[in-house]
Amino acid sequence: MCEKQCRDENGFKCHTMSESHQRQLLLFADNSRSYMDQFSREFKDEYVNLLKRRFNGRRVNANHAYQEYISDREHIHMNSTQWETLTEFVIWLNRKGIVKADETEKGWFVTYIDKDPEAILRQKKANKMAVDDEERQERMLAKQMERAKNSLTDDAGPSVSTVLQRDESSEEKIVFCNAQIHNHQKSRACCAKQCP
């Protein structure tokens, strides 16, 4: 409540004995609920803002996000809020629909649920584009399958395998020629008799 950073235990002890701290305690005693609500609201807003900005809808360990939050020197301490533990805070956020929380053996994990109208619109467009792409691919695949089926039926009926029949009377020869030999400037006269 005093928002004073003390260097060590002695500084804290001196501060708690000071007149300004005693006045702050009296103010807090008169209206403790409003102070606690204000600190809780600020803590929640800053923690959720960190989840939104830094992790942007990704699933993250709640303690990891909290460690990053308290690395800021000006952060609100959890002991000044209505929540006693981080687990209690995460469960509360989940109940309010601000985050999606799940517990694993490694601890609580949270995913920020972005309820900004622009973000919802962007998400809907992305989902629609993904569905459109899938439908387009399915239609193309169906067309290709139809064309392949039509090309098979357009040929001379169904294909039937036959045995290769050779005419024994005709004489066929195959002559192989080494193409590297013919890389010189002259014509292939040297082996014209052998190469066609």
Side-chain angles (χ1 to χ4, degrees), residues 61-152:
N61 187 310
N63 192 39
H64 176 75
Y66 180 71
Q67 294 299 323
E68 194 162 320
Y69 168 74
I70 64 173
S71 66
D72 177 22
R73 187 176 177 158
E74 303 296 321
H75 73 275
I76 304 288
H77 293 271
M78 185 176 275
N79 61 3
S80 63
T81 67
Q82 67 188 25
W83 305 285
E84 293 181 13
T85 63
L86 182 62
T87 301
E88 188 180 327
F89 175 63
V90 168
I91 292 170
W92 183 85
L93 286 175
N94 189 39
R95 249 188 325 213
K96 292 291 184 182
I98 298 170
V99 300
K100 179 181 175 243
D102 56 301
E103 185 179 17
T104 65
E105 58 189 33
K106 293 184 179 181
W108 283 92
F109 282 82
V110 293
T111 306
Y112 176 69
I113 301 170
D114 199 353
K115 295 183 180 176
D116 182 33
E118 292 177 11
I120 293 171
L121 186 63
R122 280 194 308 269
Q123 185 66 33
K124 283 182 181 179
K125 283 183 180 179
N127 289 344
K128 186 174 188 275
M129 287 175 57
V131 169
D132 288 347
D133 286 345
E134 288 175 13
E135 288 176 359
R136 190 178 314 118
Q137 287 177 351
E138 287 177 12
R139 283 193 303 254
M140 287 176 49
L141 186 60
K143 285 180 184 177
Q144 287 176 350
M145 289 171 53
E146 189 66 32
R147 275 186 280 179
K149 202 180 282 184
N150 289 341
S151 68
L152 287 176

Side-chain angles (χ1 to χ4, degrees), residues 172-176 194:
E172 295 180 16
K173 290 183 180 178
I174 298 176
V175 179
F176 294 100
Q194 297 169 356

Side-chain angles (χ1 to χ4, degrees), residues 3-31:
E3 298 180 8
K4 177 163 177 53
Q5 294 287 334
C6 300
R7 290 182 179 214
D8 56 12
E9 193 174 330
N10 186 38
F12 180 73
K13 182 180 174 187
C14 290
H15 170 69
T16 56
M17 302 298 285
S18 70
E19 186 179 330
S20 65
H21 181 72
Q22 296 300 323
R23 276 196 310 268
Q24 292 290 343
L25 282 178
L26 290 174
L27 285 173
F28 181 77
D30 289 341
N31 198 1

